[in-house]
Amino acid sequence: MDELGKFSPEIKHILARGIKASWPICLGYIPIGLAFGVLAQKAGLSPLEIGLMSLFVFAGSSQFIAVSMMGSGAGFLAIVLTTFSVNLRHLLMSSSLARYLGHPGRRWVSLFAYGVTDESFAVNLTKFLEGDWHWREALVLNHTANLAWIGSTVLGGVGGRFIPEGAFGIDYALTAMFLCLLVFQLRGKLFVLTAILSGVFSVVLALRIPGNSHIVIASMLSAALGVLLKRGHLRIRKSQSKAGAASVSNCTHSERDRYEK
């Protein structure tokens, strides 16, 4: 009890910060989760099955794709491979966040990695870059969003029988959420250029490659090009700085020579 009492204020502080940072994600998850629940119910899933799917998969885009494939009669292997391919981007996200976590231990890292989504990645990365953000707060953020997602999808599954399919524009909710996340990440010309390249690559590859693997390939290509462009830009700025410093040094030497004469 003494130990719990000693750390209780710290735990409360961590919970408060994590939950406070997660509420915008939760607000976004609720309508999308309801929409997914409705679509999943229309595809024949029960509220329990919807909840278990949200618990074990916890990836909105993959769950939408899986339900769509189930509705069209796709096989188990095709659904698993497609959702696996779509979720490969989480490998890049987790790798990007890993350098900010320190060494919390494998159990905590596994629990954190399970909760990484597009939205939690965007918020946590921003918080880590701003500083004053701990992996425990990021973990609370991830799993608060997780609870909001599971609850809203189950609620959508329960109420789905009363809502006509496609009503209220619920089938556009996920697209709108990704557009918002993209806009929030555009912090400069290089980010805008990378986003445009990603879109172009995705459209071109979609015409050539069946399935959804073109999303992952386009993301990796555009991210690699973005890194190369950033390095090139930094190299040019560095050489310009050196040239400017050399020019100032030459001017200084010339003025000193004139003074000495």
Side-chain angles (χ1 to χ4, degrees):
M1 292 296 292
D2 292 342
E3 194 71 11
L4 181 61
K6 181 180 177 181
F7 289 100
S8 183
E10 182 185 357
I11 293 172
K12 287 180 179 177
H13 180 69
I14 291 169
L15 289 173
R17 294 198 73 197
I19 292 171
K20 182 180 179 182
S22 70
W23 74 263
I25 300 176
C26 296
L27 287 180
Y29 275 0
I30 290 172
I32 299 169
L34 290 171
F36 170 76
V38 172
L39 294 176
Q41 191 274 333
K42 300 299 180 190
L45 296 183
S46 68
L48 176 61
E49 291 169 333
I50 294 170
L52 290 174
M53 187 179 187
S54 297
L55 175 65
F56 292 116
V57 180
F58 187 35
S61 55
S62 294
Q63 290 182 235
F64 272 94
I65 292 170
V67 165
S68 175
M69 294 179 72
M70 290 169 64
S72 61
F76 174 78
L77 184 61
I79 295 173
V80 170
L81 289 177
T82 302
T83 53
F84 176 76
S85 301
V86 172
N87 282 341
L88 272 177
R89 68 188 188 282
H90 291 163
L91 182 65
L92 300 175
M93 296 177 188
S94 300
S95 302
S96 179
L97 289 174
R99 55 182 169 161
Y100 300 104
L101 299 183
H103 303 283
R106 291 183 180 179
R107 286 183 301 174
W108 292 114
V109 169
S110 300
L111 192 60
F112 180 86
Y114 158 74
V116 173
T117 62
D118 302 86
E119 300 78 20
S120 65
F121 167 77
V123 174
N124 277 325
L125 182 62
T126 303
K127 292 283 186 182
F128 279 126
L129 290 173
E130 291 174 350
D132 192 27
W133 190 244
H134 196 271
W135 67 266
R136 291 188 179 91
E137 293 155 343
L139 183 69
V140 173
L141 182 148
N142 285 2
H143 291 284
T144 303
N146 187 6
L147 289 175
W149 174 253
I150 294 172
S152 58
T153 56
V154 172
L155 190 61
V158 172
R161 69 189 69 177
F162 307 109
I163 302 174
E165 192 169 350
F168 312 118
I170 55 177
D171 48 348
Y172 182 68
L174 188 67
T175 305
M177 182 189 68
F178 278 117
L179 287 174
C180 289
L181 289 173
L182 173 64
V183 171
F184 290 148
Q185 294 300 310
L186 300 178
R187 300 192 299 273
K189 293 179 181 178
L190 183 60
F191 291 86
V192 174
L193 180 60
T194 305
I196 293 173
L197 286 173
S198 180
V200 172
F201 287 153
S202 183
V203 172
V204 172
L205 291 172
L207 299 174
R208 297 287 183 181
I209 301 175
N212 296 292
S213 57
H214 64 276
I215 298 172
V216 177
I217 298 172
S219 300
M220 295 178 70
L221 283 175
S222 56
L225 278 175
V227 171
L228 292 175
L229 288 171
K230 185 177 181 179
R231 287 183 177 178
H233 179 67
L234 291 175
R235 195 175 294 118
I236 291 172
R237 288 187 61 182
K238 190 175 180 180
S239 60
Q240 288 177 341
S241 299
K242 285 183 178 178
S247 176
V248 170
S249 178
N250 290 335
C251 290
T252 303
H253 286 307
S254 300
E255 290 176 356
R256 186 178 63 189
D257 291 342
R258 285 199 300 271
Y259 178 78
E260 289 177 352
K261 288 176 182 178

